[in-house]
Amino acid sequence: QPELGKPMRNCYSLPGPDFTYGMYMHKRDGGVPEAIGHWDAVKAKAHPRKRVMPRDFVAMGRAAVDEGCTKAREFALYYGYMDIRCKDKGILTHGGKAPPGMTFGKPPRPSTPLFDLMQHRYKELWMEEQRARTRVQHVVKKKVGIMGEVRENRTTFLRTHPLPVKEESFWHLRRFEKVQAPHNPSPDQRQLFWAS
């Protein structure tokens, strides 16, 4: 048990003075004298190797179809002739230089004109737009009134122009429908005709 008023002692024995904590570097572990007396600089390469991007077969296929290639042999010839590479999207992540005129981040929002806010300029602009809109609507209504009422659909047309009333016709037998009256009937024939 720990002694009263004293911290608990560690049960593990520490290694000897020749023990090195951490990772031992055989080539560079020279201590403070080496760190002060030697500057570890990376030598620049004479010609930096340009990163070769893979071929963009989607873009080459589109271009081949636009040129009129339809067969596999024509596609193979076109791929041998045209060499379209993928664009390097991570140009800055691989140590490339930023293009001239490139800025990072979002552009700042334009400052709010406080003078216009204090003078209620935005309210006045909105009111002018509403007045102009009502003027245009009034002119359009006048033109419609001059030219006549616009017939929107069949229902409004039938309300303004009702269909003529159909005369009520009584039902007749079919054999009597084609009977024609004589041209100059005699009084006896007229009596017979009206009686039937």
Side-chain angles (χ1 to χ4, degrees), residues 8-58:
M8 192 167 75
R9 291 177 184 161
N10 198 351
C11 303
Y12 303 106
S13 59
L14 295 174
D18 57 341
F19 180 78
T20 305
Y21 292 94
M23 191 163 45
Y24 185 77
M25 302 286 285
H26 292 279
K27 294 181 180 177
R28 298 185 182 178
D29 197 6
V32 177
E34 187 183 345
I36 293 173
H38 175 67
W39 184 256
D40 192 9
V42 179
K43 292 179 182 178
K45 294 176 183 175
H47 298 288
R49 261 178 60 199
K50 192 175 179 183
R51 196 163 152 237
V52 179
M53 297 299 294
R55 296 178 84 182
D56 191 359
F57 286 99
V58 175

Side-chain angles (χ1 to χ4, degrees), residues 4-130:
L4 188 63
K6 291 184 180 179
M8 192 167 75
R9 291 177 184 161
N10 198 351
C11 303
Y12 303 106
S13 59
L14 295 174
D18 57 341
F19 180 78
T20 305
Y21 292 94
M23 191 163 45
Y24 185 77
M25 302 286 285
H26 292 279
K27 294 181 180 177
R28 298 185 182 178
D29 197 6
V32 177
E34 187 183 345
I36 293 173
H38 175 67
W39 184 256
D40 192 9
V42 179
K43 292 179 182 178
K45 294 176 183 175
H47 298 288
R49 261 178 60 199
K50 192 175 179 183
R51 196 163 152 237
V52 179
M53 297 299 294
R55 296 178 84 182
D56 191 359
F57 286 99
V58 175
M60 284 195 293
R62 281 193 197 124
V65 170
D66 289 342
E67 292 293 326
C69 298
T70 54
K71 297 177 184 173
R73 179 171 167 70
E74 293 173 354
F75 272 95
L77 290 171
Y78 189 83
Y79 289 164
Y81 176 67
M82 291 294 289
D83 188 23
I84 301 172
R85 299 283 173 172
C86 293
K87 292 178 182 174
D88 192 4
K89 292 179 182 174
I91 188 169
L92 297 176
T93 58
H94 298 291
K97 291 184 178 178
M102 182 175 179
T103 54
F104 294 93
K106 291 169 70 176
R109 195 170 67 86
S111 61
T112 307
L114 291 176
F115 192 71
D116 290 347
L117 285 174
M118 290 169 65
Q119 286 191 332
H120 303 288
R121 178 80 181 134
Y122 296 110
K123 183 191 97 172
E124 291 171 10
L125 289 171
W126 184 80
M127 292 292 286
E128 286 175 13
E129 286 177 9
Q130 297 303 316

Side-chain angles (χ1 to χ4, degrees), residues 127-145:
M127 292 292 286
E128 286 175 13
E129 286 177 9
Q130 297 303 316
R131 286 188 204 110
R133 187 181 293 173
T134 51
R135 269 189 240 117
V136 168
Q137 287 175 351
H138 189 63
V139 169
V140 169
K141 277 186 181 178
K142 274 188 177 178
K143 283 184 181 177
V144 168

